[in-house]
Every structure is written in C-alpha cells, then in structure tokens.
Amino acid sequence: MTVASAVVVNPTKVVDLDELRQTVTALLTEAGWPEPAWYETTREDPGRGQARKAVEGGARVVFACGGDGTVRSCVSELAGTEVALAVLPSGTGNLLAANLGLTHDLIGGIEVALAGGMRRIDVGAVDGECFAVMAGMGFDAQMLAATSETTKARIGWPAYVFGAVRHLRDRPMRVTIRIDDKPPIRRRARTVLIANVGRLKGGLRLLLDAEPDDGAFDVAVLTPRTLGHWASLAWAVATRQRRVPRMEVFRGRSVQVTSNRAQPRELDGDLIEPGRTLRAEMRPEALWLCVPRPAGSEDLAEGA
C-alpha cells in the first residue's frame, strides 16, 4: 500500500543526516512507499511548523526523529488529526518511546510504521501545547534545568541523576490542586506530576496504573522533605512497590496546580516558561501512534 510520509528531524540530534536520509528512503522505497518529504527543525521552531507542513503536504505518517522536544512538538501538531506519528528517538530522554514499548533502533522504528500497527492514545493540553507523557511543576523541572546538554550527550539519561542531586534539599512549594469539580487539595509538595503514562527516565515506573488510553490523568503529589524520605521513595519506585511513601496519587481529566511562588515547569521532559499555575486538560484518544503492540494488548509498553 502506498503511504505518503514525512520526516521531521532535529539535525543536532543526528550524527550523519545524509546517512539517515539514505537509510529511511531505502527502507520505505523497498516497502513500496514513496520517498518521504523532509523537514528540519530549528531553534525557533522545534517541530510544530514542520509537522504542520507535513500534514498540509498530504503525509499520512510523520516520523519524528529527535529528542523529547521534537516528539512533543509533533504531538502538539498531529493531535486531533488523522495523521499518525511514528517515533524515531535519537535524544537522551526518549520518554514516549520508553513508555510505549517503541524501539530505540532506527530500522526497527521504521519497521513498526511499515507494519501498520496503530493505536489511539490520549494527550494532555497545557496553554495550547500538548504532551503525551507527563506535565510537571517543581522538582522534576528543576532537575531538567540543572542537567547540562554536554553531560547528557556524554553519559545519556543517568546525567539527570546529577541534576536531581543538586535540588534534593530545596524547600517545598505550597500548592493548591483542583481536580475536575472536586474540593481543592492543599499540600507542601516538592513536585506535582500530571501523568498520561507512568514511566520516568531510565524506565522506572512511578505510576503503576497509568495508561495512555484510559481517558484520565494520574496526578502524583510528591512530598519528601529529608534525604531519608527521598531514599525510601526511590527504593519503593525501583522495586515497583504498590505503595510509595511520601507520594499521593489522584485521578482526573482536568487538573490545575497553583503554587505560592513561580516554579519551573515541564512538558514531556521539555522545559516551558516558569509560572505559578499549571493547568492540564485531557484530550482522549486524540493521537494516532504507530506502535508494535496489537490492539488487544493490555500493556502498550510490553517489552519496553
């Protein structure tokens, strides 16, 4: 079957762009697909404009080749359309790939799209931008800001551990959390995560019940205050315990987090402007995603 496609690529995340073009084009041609259109991201536009041009050009599948920022930009543009997203991760975080069982291998990623397996997944919306993994305010965003691109390029996702250590002793924020039409929740928290899926960097699963197609967010409120609290929390997550100390989990489709002071914020591992409020709305089944798991599989991340 002939399928028009396009590649949105972040050239700073690719070692040899010409080799990438040759490999992708050869595999698609062998499968009977026409040569894809190519769009390179820029510092000013990390992928939304390029994905929009791909859709306007008739693409039915858009390959996102880059880090979490490139993938999220494509998610924001493709959500609500009938155009499918195929992920070719080449950054260090690769959060969506880790959560949905997508390969980190270029050829394997293309083969997933060629096989035609697709699932509709939910996305969240924050200030006109979409996310497929999670939005966060507080410690998680501080960790991202404290992690240098050089260190990430050198050692990969463990670089985030060094960024996290720098902020373990920071003072908590006072937050008010409103979920749907329920009474507000007030906490002294280190971070609040509004999650569509449950895995963190490195494959650790923080939220065991979070699913990308259940129509609701899992909202994690983390309240560690001491190094001992952090240690017990980390151990519980690493050993996949059902109860994680210093963490509460709520569920809902509309979530607003308001802090007593401006906080760093992030979407899918991508920093956005700091602010006192983080409001997320659920968009159920808004995105077609190329995945290796059939529709009957209970766990989209099986084999991840």
Side-chain angles (χ1 to χ4, degrees):
M1 180 178 65
T2 298
V3 179
S5 65
V7 181
V8 176
V9 58
N10 181 344
T12 68
K13 300 290 185 179
V14 177
V15 176
D16 190 329
L17 188 56
D18 289 335
E19 181 179 349
L20 174 71
R21 284 176 176 266
Q22 293 172 7
T23 301
V24 173
T25 300
L27 288 171
L28 295 184
T29 300
E30 183 179 345
W33 289 28
E35 183 174 343
W38 287 81
Y39 302 94
E40 294 185 20
T41 67
T42 64
R43 182 181 296 273
E44 295 74 26
D45 188 344
R48 285 201 69 163
Q50 294 83 350
R52 186 180 309 116
K53 291 178 181 177
V55 173
E56 293 171 348
R60 303 306 298 166
V61 174
V62 172
F63 293 92
C65 184
D68 290 324
T70 306
V71 174
R72 187 182 67 79
S73 294
C74 290
V75 167
S76 291
E77 196 59 39
L78 299 182
T81 76
E82 293 300 308
V83 179
L85 173 67
V87 180
L88 304 178
S90 57
T92 53
N94 301 329
L95 285 173
L96 187 59
N99 274 278
L100 300 181
L102 305 177
T103 178
H104 286 57
D105 174 67
L106 172 64
I107 294 176
I110 297 170
E111 289 176 343
V112 166
L114 294 176
M118 293 193 296
R119 295 279 290 270
R120 278 194 182 275
I121 67 169
D122 307 329
V123 301
V126 173
D127 297 335
E129 295 288 331
C130 291
F131 64 95
V133 180
M134 60 184 67
M137 171 186 278
F139 171 78
D140 60 309
Q142 290 173 326
M143 174 190 69
L144 295 172
T147 305
S148 73
E149 292 294 328
T150 301
T151 307
K152 286 193 293 184
R154 187 167 64 247
I155 66 174
W157 71 262
Y160 294 102
V161 175
F162 296 100
V165 168
R166 298 179 188 178
H167 292 283
L168 290 180
R169 292 181 177 273
D170 288 1
R171 64 191 176 107
M173 55 185 176
R174 296 181 182 274
V175 294
T176 299
I177 306 167
R178 295 182 180 273
I179 301 176
D180 298 335
D181 56 357
K182 300 172 185 176
I185 302 161
R186 293 180 174 83
R187 295 290 187 273
R188 286 172 55 86
R190 289 302 316 279
T191 194
V192 179
L193 298 171
I194 305 171
N196 190 36
V197 289
R199 284 181 172 85
L200 305 174
K201 299 180 187 301
L204 293 174
R205 190 157 188 178
L206 179 69
L207 297 160
L208 300 181
D209 297 324
E211 296 294 342
D213 53 2
D214 61 2
F217 296 120
D218 285 55
V219 183
V221 183
L222 279 64
T223 59
R225 296 187 183 182
T226 67
L227 293 180
H229 290 164
W230 279 114
S232 60
L233 188 155
W235 176 255
V237 172
T239 55
R240 295 176 62 88
Q241 295 180 25
R242 171 64 54 180
R243 181 182 177 280
V244 177
R246 315 300 301 190
M247 183 177 84
E248 296 176 276
V249 180
F250 307 90
R251 285 177 60 81
R253 293 167 58 98
S254 175
V255 183
Q256 179 170 306
V257 184
T258 304
S259 171
N260 61 323
R261 62 186 188 276
Q263 296 290 334
R265 305 182 303 164
E266 58 92 5
L267 302 179
D268 286 358
D270 197 19
L271 288 169
I272 61 175
E273 285 294 320
R276 290 187 58 227
T277 300
L278 181 65
R279 180 179 178 84
E281 298 288 342
M282 170 60 68
R283 297 180 60 183
E285 298 186 349
L287 179 71
W288 280 110
L289 184 71
C290 297
V291 295
R293 305 305 307 168
S297 175
E298 293 183 1
D299 184 4
L300 272 170
E302 185 177 331

